[in-house]
Amino acid sequence: GIYRIRIQTHDGVTRRRTFNVTLTGQSDTPGMSCNLVEDFMSLPHILVAADTVLTQVGSTIKIPCEVTGHDIRVTWHFQGTALPAKSNQQVNHNGDLVIRQITAADQGTYSCYASSRIVPQSIDHAHTLVHIRQ
């Protein structure tokens, strides 16, 4: 069946995971096993993120979103919508977002979403506020 787990860390951060448990074999047969380990290893987890990035117009910034897990896809949103393709933005192979030649229009909240292609219901996310000094 599908199970959900909610964990709150000592610093108040809440993590939620959804995973599917598949039992194989007969319930009265020795050797009954559970595929939970494979599913758990597939779960996305954001290892490195930033709460706030302070910058100035014209600068280049890197917003970290280092993830772990198997077959993970990273997507970025700006102000709650999918990040539009812009020539000054690039997502690195490790998930970090690089923005070159920052403008005032780039100020706001960026969200990194890490999702598993193996366990599609499992998503981890982090939000970063980009603030431009005047």
Side-chain angles (χ1 to χ4, degrees):
I2 295 177
Y3 292 83
R4 291 177 178 83
I5 187 170
R6 180 181 170 269
I7 300 170
Q8 187 167 10
T9 63
H10 67 282
D11 56 354
V13 175
T14 300
R15 302 268 187 217
R16 291 179 179 84
R17 296 288 186 268
T18 301
F19 52 92
N20 188 19
V21 175
T22 305
L23 298 176
T24 58
Q26 300 291 335
S27 60
D28 57 349
T29 303
M32 182 173 164
S33 63
C34 175
N35 294 330
L36 178 60
V37 171
E38 179 182 327
D39 286 349
F40 184 75
M41 296 302 290
S42 301
L43 297 177
H45 178 68
I46 296 175
L47 298 172
V48 178
D51 292 327
T52 305
V53 173
L54 217 53
T55 189
Q56 58 191 21
V57 171
S59 295
T60 295
I61 63 168
K62 179 177 77 172
I63 306 173
C65 185
E66 185 181 329
V67 300
T68 186
H70 296 291
D71 207 3
I72 302 300
R73 180 178 63 152
V74 173
T75 56
W76 281 90
H77 288 72
F78 176 64
Q79 302 293 89
T81 60
L83 192 65
K86 293 171 88 176
S87 61
N88 71 328
Q89 298 173 346
Q90 174 187 348
V91 178
N92 289 342
H93 68 279
N94 67 350
D96 294 348
L97 175 65
V98 176
I99 306 173
R100 293 175 179 77
Q101 295 296 313
I102 290 280
T103 68
D106 294 317
Q107 181 169 278
T109 301
Y110 290 81
S111 302
C112 172
Y113 292 89
S115 58
S116 169
R117 291 182 177 103
I118 298 169
V119 186
Q121 309 91 332
S122 181
I123 298 173
D124 196 7
H125 64 279
H127 305 288
T128 302
L129 175 63
V130 172
H131 182 73
I132 298 174
R133 286 183 249 146
Q134 300 299 327

